[in-house]
Structure formats: C-alpha cells, structure tokens
Amino acid sequence: MARPVTSARPLRLLVALAIVIVGLAAWAFWPGTEHSVKLGLDLQGGTQITLQPKPVVDGATMTDDQLQQTVSILRQRVDGLGVAESEVTTQGSGEGATIVVSVPGLSQDRLLELVQRTALLDFRPVWEILNPASASAVASAAASASASPSASPDASSSASASASSEASASPSASASAGAAAGTTIVQASENTPAFQEELANLDCTNPEVYNGGTPDDPTKWLGTCEKSGAAKYNLQPAFIKGTNVTSANAVMQQNGVGWVVSLQFDSEGASALADASKTLSALPECGTAGANPCNAFAIVLDGTVVSAPRFNEPILGGQAQIEGNFTAQEANDLAAVLKYGALPVTLEPVDVTSISPTVGNDQLRAGILAGLLGLALVMIYLLIYYRALGIAAIASLIIAGVVLYLSLVVMGKAIGLTLTLAGVAGAIVAIGITADSFIVYFERIRDEIREGRSLRQACDSGWVRARRTLLAADFVSILAAVVLYVLSVGSVRGFAFVLGLTTVIDIIVAFWFTHPLVVLMGRTGWMQKGSRWTGLSTSRMTTSESTMPPSVAGARRREAKEGGQS
C-alpha cells in the first residue's frame, strides 16, 4: 500500500489565514471610520416615501414605460450612494400609480432631495449676467441715495474658471453649496423685449423663487437664477444636453480643497463642447459693460444655474467639471443623479414616514439569540461525538464567525452592504453547512484508519477524499445563493448574499484552518495513541482491528508503528 504524501507545512496556511484576519480587522476598525455592521431598514429604521408621479409637461399622458423607467433610475440613484437593501416599488398602474421608496439610515430631507430631482442637465451659452433683484427693487434702490445694490453682476461672477490641458472646465466658485436645486424660470423661443422684461422682473433674491424646481426646455431661451440667488442669467438655447453625459463622478480638487463633479461626454457632446468653446473663448469677458454675448457658459440642472465657468481657451477632450463649493456628500449626490439620467416624470411626495428601529432591534436580538443557541447545540454535539476533533471543529466555527463579522463590516464600508433579518437567517442556515464540512472530513479520517492507515496519514489522505465532497456541497449552496440573488429583489437578496458569503468563508476556513489544525493535532503522540478522548479510539470505531482481515490489521499496525517512529 502506497503511503500518501503528508502535508509538510500546515503552519503556512494558518499564517496566511492569520494575515487575512489581521488585514480585515485593520480595515474594519481603522480609526475615524464606522466599526459596526450596517443594519437594514428592518433593523435600524430609516425613511419611507410615497411619491405621486406626474408628467413633466402639463396635460401629457404618463405611460407604464415611463413609470418603470422612473423606478429603475430611482433604484440606481439610491444604490449609487452606497445604500444597499433599499426598496423601490410601484403600487397601482397608470395615472393613479404611486412609487414607494424605502431606504435605511437616510434622513428625510436628503432622500427627498435625491428622489425628487428631475436631473434635466444642459449646457447653455451665457448671453448676459444680471442683477439678481427684480427690476422694481433695483429701481427703488437706485432712487434711494443711501441704498446700494445688494449684489452686482461683476461681484457675483468674478471668479474665473480655467480650462486645464486635460480639457476640464472649472466653474465659478461663487455658488453656495447650501442652496437647493431648482428655480422658477422664464422661457421664450426668441430673446424678445417681452422676454427680457419678464426676466428683469424675476426676483432671484427670494428663496421661494430660486428654489422653485421647474425643469427647462433646452431648445428655448432661458431666464433663471444662480442656485444661491447670487445672480440672474439670460441664457441661449443649450448646445449640450444631459443625455450626452456618459459618466459623472465626485472627485477632490487637485489643491485638496473642496469637491467637484467630473463629467465625461459622448462623441456628440464632446464635439459640441469643442465647437462652443472655440466660439465662446473669443468673446468678451462676462461682466464687461455691453458684453452680450460673453465668454461664459452655464451648467443648468433642473432650471437652475449650478455654475457658470468661462471659456478661456478651446476645450477638446470631452470633459468638464461642475464646481460649486460642494461637500463630499453633495458632490456624490449630484454625481448620482447625473450618472443615471433624468427622470421622465416629476415626483410629488404624498407621504413621508420615519420607520422606528424598535421592533427591528427586538427581532435582531431574537435572531442573534437563535443563532447562538443553534451554534451552541452544534458545538456540544461535535464535542461529545468527536471529542478532541470536536475542539478543532469548535475553533473553526469561531474563526468562521470572526471572519464573517469582519467581512460584513468591511463590505458595509466598501459597497454599502447592510444586514437585514433575512441576512441573519442566511448566516444561521450557514452554521449547518459549516458543521457538515467538519463531519465529512472527520468521517473520512475514520474511514482511512479503518482501512489500515495511521492517524498521521489519515489526516492527509482523508482530506484528499473529503475536500471533493466539501467543494461539491458548497458549490451547490453558492449556486443556489447566486440564483436567488439574481432572480429576487428586496430582503431575499440579502438572504442569498449572506448565504453565499458564509459558504465561501466555510471553504476558506476548511482549507486554511481546519485541515492544517487537524494535521498538526494528528502529529502529536497523544492523538496517535488513540485515547478515547481523541474521538478516534478503537472502541468508537464501527470496525475494530479484531474484525478486520489479518492483512489489513497487520498493515495498520505496521503503518502506525512507522508513523510513530517518523
């Protein structure tokens, strides 16, 4: 009988696993970051908003396709912020349909701003920058000798944006990041005196005006406010639409101060940007007396001027930046709504509900208690039946639990993974899968000993046979988890993800911890003596030497002797 090759360096695998655990722990508990598992809506509470979709154009008919497109865009926006386990569903159909958005751990104001924003983006040449006050207010101020204009066009637009060699346009820094998007707008097919008079009467110093939230028609002239109300703009029809934006990302400025939103355009948008930059860069500086048109272009989002950079030189790379003294959160929110496109409808909030985590906390405690009770029962069984080998199994379960916890914390930081009650159920189910791995391996060791091999040899040869069964069983579990995750939505996906994650961890722990640990235990003299406390004594074997064929029993004694000498 050929003697199997013995694993020579099990310590290497144990050290590798220790390095992985230390790395996960360092990532999970890095100072200045969250150190706990993110909980889902059913466990930590959150916000649920019921929205009534309406056509963008009054009198138009809303279709089911527009409704489904809206749901898809809202789901992408919420998930784009790293919020997992969110739910976006529809109730009813046609004109009476509503959309329900449920998000864990997000404030009401931020969620409303995120889901209501239509995200109609366009780029318009600036014809003229005006005083933000209404014509009557300007006249009253001029009539009073002691009064002075509250804001001047030159002051509101003095910050110049330069175009970098990488073809990025840096907008004016005069915009205030705290103001909300949206404005009451003035539009006309031509820049007529009537349009100019109506624009002059627009009061951009009134928050109710510059927070109006009216999407614009990119094919018409637009009179609107800067998003903080610091200036008023007369804008030509758009030369680039938001549909030409292929990607949007929040990035830190090169000087490390403040955030910007970097945009990338498709070929059509890049060509339009290059043509417009060549034309506008040759025009007078905005703010110069009589400069209309001037060398600026306005980035307009939902009818509001987010920023108005100057073209100092042609831009040929198809990239631009939106700059407006953004915080990291504001830049990420803006990038999220721009990246996934404009909503085909407007959304009016019907009901906003804050969900309390009280019930969820009780259920979480009950779930954790059930999991710990099941884990304790499994450990007791393994300890009674497998004795010393049961200790190796218990240690493996503890290591698997530690790796699972660290993985949930790390994934919560990296991809926004949240743990729900369904995920807790997936982790509890995985306890049985992990215990099965140990039982298969230990029984294979016993089979090898019954066939006449020494314990030292059986630990390796039994592993070779057990790992095939282990991998096959775990593959079926992972396949089931993947199918559930792909085909389901909501909490079922949370169950599938955690089930798949714990199954992968089971494989890692079995290969990098359980097998090396058992090999090291099998090399000890105490285990090789076959004491009843090892779980491998003759009295605990189904087949003893007295019932073995003489050749097998003799081979077993010889190999046991050789194993003891080696």
Side-chain angles (χ1 to χ4, degrees):
M1 182 182 298
R3 181 174 177 174
V5 178
T6 303
S7 177
R9 296 181 177 87
L11 285 175
R12 286 188 176 182
L13 296 175
L14 293 175
V15 170
L17 180 61
I19 293 174
V20 171
I21 293 176
V22 170
L24 288 174
W27 192 348
F29 300 107
W30 193 260
T33 61
E34 290 289 335
H35 301 159
S36 58
V37 177
K38 285 187 176 183
L39 301 179
L41 184 68
D42 54 354
L43 298 180
Q44 72 162 337
T47 301
Q48 185 177 77
I49 298 180
T50 302
L51 302 163
Q52 178 70 57
K54 295 183 178 180
V56 175
V57 180
D58 291 338
T61 302
M62 186 181 64
T63 65
D64 289 338
D65 289 341
Q66 288 179 323
L67 188 64
Q68 294 305 317
Q69 183 183 357
T70 301
V71 170
S72 176
I73 292 174
L74 290 179
R75 185 175 289 118
Q76 289 175 321
R77 286 185 184 182
V78 174
D79 291 344
L81 296 179
V83 180
E85 296 296 339
S86 60
E87 292 186 1
V88 182
T89 58
T90 58
Q91 295 180 349
S93 60
E95 296 294 333
T98 58
I99 299 175
V100 180
V101 182
S102 302
V103 180
L106 210 62
S107 66
Q108 292 184 10
D109 293 341
R110 189 181 180 198
L111 183 56
L112 276 172
E113 167 69 14
L114 180 68
V115 300
Q116 279 191 284
R117 184 178 293 180
T118 309
L120 290 175
L121 178 73
D122 49 53
F123 292 69
R124 294 173 173 269
V126 174
W127 179 263
E128 190 176 13
I129 303 178
L130 304 171
N131 191 299
S134 65
S136 58
V138 173
S140 298
S144 175
S146 61
S148 61
S150 60
S152 68
D154 293 343
S156 66
S157 59
S158 59
S160 174
S162 60
S164 66
S165 57
E166 288 80 11
S168 64
S170 301
S172 169
S174 64
S176 168
T183 181
T184 299
I185 62 176
V186 178
Q187 287 206 270
S189 299
E190 301 290 341
N191 188 22
T192 62
F195 168 75
Q196 295 177 12
E197 181 180 357
E198 192 175 358
L199 174 58
N201 292 326
L202 187 64
D203 184 8
C204 289
T205 63
N206 182 359
E208 294 182 0
V209 173
Y210 66 75
N211 290 336
T214 306
D216 60 293
D217 185 344
T219 64
K220 296 181 178 181
W221 283 70
L222 173 66
T224 186
C225 303
E226 191 267 340
K227 72 172 185 175
S228 66
K232 185 162 51 181
Y233 289 85
N234 186 353
L235 305 174
Q236 302 178 54
F239 62 89
I240 299 179
K241 299 179 182 179
T243 52
N244 297 122
V245 176
T246 57
S247 68
N249 297 287
V251 296
M252 177 73 74
Q253 294 191 85
Q254 292 183 355
N255 59 9
V257 180
W259 288 76
V260 298
V261 178
S262 177
L263 303 177
Q264 180 71 45
F265 298 97
D266 58 18
S267 58
E268 180 184 350
S271 177
L273 182 64
D275 293 341
S277 64
K278 291 176 183 177
T279 302
L280 295 179
S281 61
L283 296 176
E285 181 74 16
C286 285
T288 305
N292 54 351
C294 57
N295 67 342
F297 72 98
I299 300 174
V300 182
L301 178 65
D302 290 343
T304 302
V305 175
V306 179
S307 56
R310 275 65 161 168
F311 275 123
N312 295 328
E313 60 184 23
I315 295 178
L316 306 177
Q319 294 180 341
Q321 287 183 345
I322 303 176
E323 187 177 278
N325 296 335
F326 297 118
T327 64
Q329 175 179 306
E330 290 167 342
N332 277 287
D333 287 356
L334 179 56
V337 297
L338 296 179
K339 185 183 300 183
Y340 302 113
L343 293 176
V345 299
T346 59
L347 298 172
E348 180 181 327
V350 177
D351 181 64
V352 181
T353 305
S354 293
I355 299 176
S356 171
T358 304
V359 177
N361 286 335
D362 293 340
Q363 293 174 331
L364 178 61
R365 283 192 292 269
I368 292 177
L369 180 61
L372 292 176
L373 180 60
L375 185 62
L377 292 175
V378 171
M379 287 181 173
I380 292 173
Y381 169 79
L382 292 173
L383 193 60
I384 293 175
Y385 192 77
Y386 288 107
R387 308 292 174 87
L389 289 179
I391 296 176
I394 292 173
S396 299
L397 286 171
I398 294 174
I399 293 295
V402 170
V403 174
L404 175 61
Y405 177 79
L406 295 176
S407 298
L408 291 175
V409 175
V410 168
M411 288 186 177
K413 293 181 179 182
I415 61 175
L417 174 67
T418 58
L419 182 65
T420 62
L421 283 174
V424 174
I428 293 174
V429 170
I431 294 175
I433 297 175
T434 304
D436 284 345
S437 302
F438 308 143
I439 293 173
V440 169
Y441 181 28
F442 296 161
E443 290 301 322
R444 287 297 189 185
I445 291 176
R446 288 184 168 188
D447 289 342
E448 293 295 310
I449 293 176
R450 293 188 188 102
E451 292 177 3
R453 293 185 176 87
S454 67
L455 174 61
R456 186 167 182 172
Q457 296 170 341
C459 290
D460 283 304
S461 58
W463 171 250
V464 172
R465 298 173 62 183
R467 68 187 180 191
R468 301 170 188 168
T469 306
L470 186 153
L471 289 173
D474 284 343
F475 174 77
V476 172
S477 296
I478 293 175
L479 182 61
V482 170
V483 172
L484 272 178
Y485 186 85
V486 172
L487 298 182
S488 62
V489 296
S491 59
V492 179
R493 299 188 76 186
F495 171 85
F497 187 90
V498 175
L499 178 62
L501 176 63
T502 50
T503 305
V504 172
I505 291 174
D506 167 47
I507 296 174
I508 294 173
V509 171
F511 276 76
W512 286 14
F513 184 80
T514 309
H515 172 226
L517 180 62
V518 172
V519 168
L520 291 177
M521 291 175 63
R523 293 180 179 180
T524 62
W526 179 75
M527 287 289 292
Q528 292 182 10
K529 289 179 181 178
S531 167
R532 63 175 182 169
W533 299 109
T534 64
L536 298 171
S537 61
T538 303
S539 60
R540 297 185 64 82
M541 298 292 184
T542 304
T543 306
S544 63
E545 281 193 19
S546 60
T547 60
M548 290 181 184
S551 58
V552 175
R556 176 180 174 181
R557 287 192 295 270
R558 287 194 301 273
E559 292 181 2
K561 183 178 180 181
E562 292 173 0
Q565 291 175 350
S566 60

